[in-house]
Amino acid sequence: MANKGSEYTKRQDGPATVFEVTPAPSPKFTYLLIIGGFFSLIALAANVIFGALLAAFIVWYGWFRDMRPKGHREVSTFRVMADSIEAGGQTFKKEDIHRLILKNGITDQELMETYTTNANAAAGMAHRANVARVANSLNVEQGGKSFQIAGGMDETTAYGLLRDVCKVLDFDVK
């Protein structure tokens, strides 16, 4: 059975530990797939080409659209040494790192409690919550800015990666 979550691998390359993070696939927007299927049946019954094209677009959008930010959809590779992290062409020196954090690319770690009676809005919010489950990233904060070094992870992968990076840097892990 294929792995449906994110994962990372680590390997030694001289003094560096190289991490490669594979993001989880984005969940499909099931509600749109159902709506698209419904529209396609209506379009076929009415023999309306525009309706069939609209239905095809709705199904395509529900199946292929990944609403996560770009950094959460691509494989990330970075190097960690005892005194620095190299990621995305940048070097973050251990003494300049304020902290390593886990952030969510969809919710930005904010708790959302929204209630609605609109079925379409509720379906959209439910899909957003599903996508948020695989939109966690590892960020390094330095110089008052946050830099993403890996994204698209489920919670288990994100915490494991944080722990392993902290071990290499000899940061306290709780």
Side-chain angles (χ1 to χ4, degrees):
M1 181 178 224
N3 181 13
K4 294 201 179 228
S6 57
E7 63 183 10
Y8 70 92
T9 59
K10 61 182 179 176
R11 63 179 168 78
Q12 283 303 124
D13 183 16
T17 303
V18 179
F19 292 89
E20 183 174 273
V21 180
T22 303
S26 182
K28 307 303 179 210
F29 196 171
T30 309
Y31 184 72
L32 277 185
L33 297 175
I34 293 168
I35 295 295
F38 179 71
F39 274 117
S40 67
L41 291 175
I42 292 173
L44 287 173
N47 199 17
V48 178
I49 292 180
F50 176 75
L53 291 174
L54 178 62
F57 175 76
I58 292 171
V59 170
W60 172 85
Y61 192 84
W63 188 263
F64 290 107
R65 174 71 169 110
D66 187 346
M67 67 187 290
R68 298 176 295 178
K70 185 177 181 182
H72 292 265
R73 294 180 262 156
E74 301 171 338
V75 173
S76 305
T77 303
F78 61 97
R79 301 167 53 88
V80 182
M81 277 88 41
D83 63 345
S84 64
I85 297 174
E86 294 175 2
Q90 292 185 283
T91 301
F92 305 96
K93 297 286 184 192
K94 179 179 177 178
E95 62 267 11
D96 296 333
I97 295 173
H98 305 300
R99 65 182 178 155
L100 291 168
I101 62 167
L102 298 177
K103 242 177 134 173
N104 190 283
I106 301 295
T107 66
D108 208 25
Q109 291 289 20
E110 295 174 11
L111 296 177
M112 268 185 10
E113 288 192 26
T114 307
Y115 301 96
T116 182
T117 57
N118 182 317
N120 294 327
M125 288 173 18
H127 178 65
R128 182 180 164 95
N130 282 337
V131 173
R133 289 186 184 108
V134 291
N136 296 302
S137 65
L138 177 63
N139 291 40
V140 59
E141 290 184 351
Q142 173 179 305
K145 294 183 180 179
S146 181
F147 301 89
Q148 179 180 313
I149 59 176
M153 296 177 282
D154 56 38
E155 194 173 297
T156 302
T157 304
Y159 279 109
L161 182 63
L162 173 65
R163 188 168 183 84
D164 282 350
V165 169
C166 285
K167 283 181 187 176
V168 174
L169 289 169
D170 197 29
F171 280 180
D172 285 335
V173 182
K174 298 187 182 200

